[in-house]
Amino acid sequence: MTSASTAIDAGTVPAPPARSAAASPVRGWFSRHARSIVVALLLLLVLSPFLWLVQLAFRPAVDIFDERLLFVPTLDGFASLLQGNFLKSFWNSLLVSTLSTAFSLLIGVPAAYALTRWNFKGRSRIALWILVTRMAPPIAFTIPFFLAYQFLGLQDTVIGLAIVYLTFNLAIVIWLMQTFFEAVPAALEEAAWIDGCGVWQAFWRVALPLTAPGLAATAVLCFIFSWNDFFYALILTRTNAITAPVAIVNFLQYEGWEWTKIAASGTLVMLPVVVFTVLVRKYLVRGLTAGSVKD
């Protein structure tokens, strides 16, 4: 008889083969944290260009192409920016982007509300033509803008650049805010009318607060589009209204590329967008995901 038969006859069951004591806890830990590990790896992959740029900004100029990850950080790159005109360009970008975003919201939000709530002939055509303005490439408007600004004296001015950014941000505001206003029940505004509110009072006190997440998401997108613009700023500015993206190109000279200044200025250019997004992140997430699930 075999040993197994002997064990069964004796009334005992042979014990299963022993598992590795360390394999089971490790496998369990990985199964519990698999999603977090994947998210961390994807996040590291997405952020790697930004992290590389930031570490390059703090790296000494003599070690700019050194492959070693450990180095003594320095602020020489940022200090060199303070000695030039980059801060003026940075301020121009901040001012132009803020003005363009404010003007776009001031004009586009009431326009989107009117297109959503008021029924009139040709409403759908107007909305379509507003979207068409975003379909043409920027170079198609360069010569008309250049000649018009030269005639009006708006070339190389902050207000002139803000008006140009208004032309493409306005379409974004109207189309995005239309979606958010359509999600607000018209019965709420009708109840406000019964309570004595006018049309614009109902808009200001009822419709606008309910679309705050969408308003935040739209504002962030308008600010980012204005802040990152390079083409219009390159064509329509010279010295007074030059923006940060154009100023960075000035560090690419025939004698050589100033990599430390490029990395430091690139890091500074990212900061306002990051700070603005963090401040409104709660509304931004709600606004970008609104309408993704239908009741």
Side-chain angles (χ1 to χ4, degrees):
M1 298 178 63
T2 60
S3 59
S5 301
T6 305
I8 293 174
D9 294 339
T12 60
V13 179
R19 294 183 178 179
S20 173
S24 181
V26 171
R27 188 182 298 111
W29 185 88
F30 273 105
S31 63
R32 290 193 304 269
H33 299 85
R35 182 179 299 178
S36 300
I37 294 174
V38 172
V39 171
L41 292 176
L42 290 176
L43 188 62
L44 182 62
L45 180 63
V46 172
L47 294 179
S48 56
F50 303 100
L51 297 177
W52 178 83
L53 179 66
V54 172
Q55 67 86 24
L56 206 63
F58 291 96
R59 188 181 288 271
V62 295
D63 299 331
I64 200 68
F65 294 113
D66 198 334
E67 297 180 355
R68 293 176 298 177
L69 294 179
L70 297 179
F71 59 90
V72 179
T74 178
L75 297 176
D76 292 342
F78 297 96
S80 61
L81 294 179
L82 298 177
Q83 300 172 1
N85 295 324
F86 181 77
L87 288 183
K88 180 182 177 181
S89 303
F90 186 88
W91 169 251
N92 287 339
S93 288
L94 189 62
L95 185 59
V96 168
S97 301
T98 304
L99 287 176
S100 176
T101 302
F103 289 157
S104 300
L105 295 177
L106 186 64
I107 300 173
V109 173
Y113 180 75
L115 289 174
T116 304
R117 290 291 186 258
W118 295 345
N119 293 319
F120 55 89
K121 187 177 180 179
R123 184 180 66 171
S124 59
R125 294 190 182 93
I126 293 176
L128 178 61
W129 280 108
I130 291 173
L131 181 62
V132 167
T133 60
R134 284 289 293 163
M135 295 181 179
I139 196 171
F141 303 103
T142 303
I143 296 178
F145 272 129
F146 183 83
L147 296 177
Y149 274 31
Q150 198 172 28
F151 177 76
L152 297 173
L154 292 175
Q155 193 174 13
D156 199 19
T157 60
V158 171
I159 190 64
L161 203 56
I163 294 174
V164 171
Y165 293 165
L166 174 65
T167 58
F168 58 78
N169 277 339
L170 193 59
I172 298 174
V173 173
I174 293 176
W175 268 86
L176 288 179
M177 292 306 298
Q178 264 190 280
T179 305
F180 296 112
F181 283 128
E182 288 174 354
V184 177
L188 297 178
E189 298 168 48
E190 293 171 358
W193 298 344
I194 295 175
D195 291 338
C197 290
V199 174
W200 291 110
Q201 285 180 326
F203 162 75
W204 183 259
R205 297 183 180 182
V206 178
L208 197 60
L210 292 176
T211 57
L215 192 65
T218 304
V220 170
L221 292 177
C222 289
F223 187 88
I224 291 176
F225 287 141
S226 301
W227 182 265
N228 292 336
D229 175 73
F230 173 78
F231 185 77
Y232 283 126
L234 178 65
I235 301 299
L236 299 176
T237 62
R238 291 293 180 268
T239 54
N240 296 327
I242 188 173
T243 58
V246 179
I248 294 177
V249 180
N250 294 332
F251 299 138
L252 310 178
Q253 302 175 359
Y254 290 105
E255 295 81 4
W257 291 10
E258 301 177 82
W259 287 106
T260 305
K261 289 184 178 180
I262 294 173
S265 58
T267 302
L268 290 178
V269 165
M270 289 191 300
L271 281 180
V273 178
V274 173
V275 172
F276 188 27
T277 305
V278 169
L279 291 177
V280 298
R281 64 187 183 279
K282 181 176 69 173
Y283 296 105
L284 180 61
V285 173
R286 290 171 55 189
L288 292 177
T289 57
S292 59
V293 178
K294 297 293 184 181
D295 295 334

